[in-house]
């Protein structure tokens, strides 16, 4: 039996802290961006999505499609 791995989409969101610092946070398609931002970037405000792609766990890189 072959093991299949489902490609997993993700987006990178900009985050901004009250003191003016900026950063980013990666959020998988099945996660809530607000929850992930609160957990990984306490005190930051979630901004716009700045990048999106699909990660392929079988190859460790970006998914090239079927």
């Amino acid at each position: 039996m072959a093991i299949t791995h489902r490609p997993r989409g993700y987006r990178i969101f900009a985050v901004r802290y009250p003191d003016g610092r900026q950063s980013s946070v990666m959020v998988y398609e099945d996660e809530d961006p607000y929850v992930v931002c609160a957990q990984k970037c306490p005190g930051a405000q979630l901004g716009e999505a700045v990048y999106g792609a699909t990660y392929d766990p079988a190859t460790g890189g970006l998914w090239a499609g079927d």
Side-chain angles (χ1 to χ4, degrees):
M1 178 193 292
I3 297 173
T4 59
H5 300 277
R6 183 176 82 75
R8 193 172 186 197
Y10 69 91
R11 291 176 289 170
I12 296 176
F13 287 86
V15 293
R16 293 174 184 81
Y17 290 91
D19 64 3
R21 290 180 296 137
Q22 296 184 16
S23 189
S24 61
V25 64
M26 185 179 79
V27 181
Y28 285 107
E29 65 188 355
D30 57 349
E31 298 175 323
D32 182 329
Y34 292 97
V35 172
V36 173
C37 181
Q39 292 172 343
K40 293 184 177 180
C41 308
Q45 180 180 12
L46 185 68
E48 68 280 354
V50 294
Y51 181 78
T54 301
Y55 171 74
D56 186 353
T59 65
L62 295 181
W63 184 58
D66 292 332

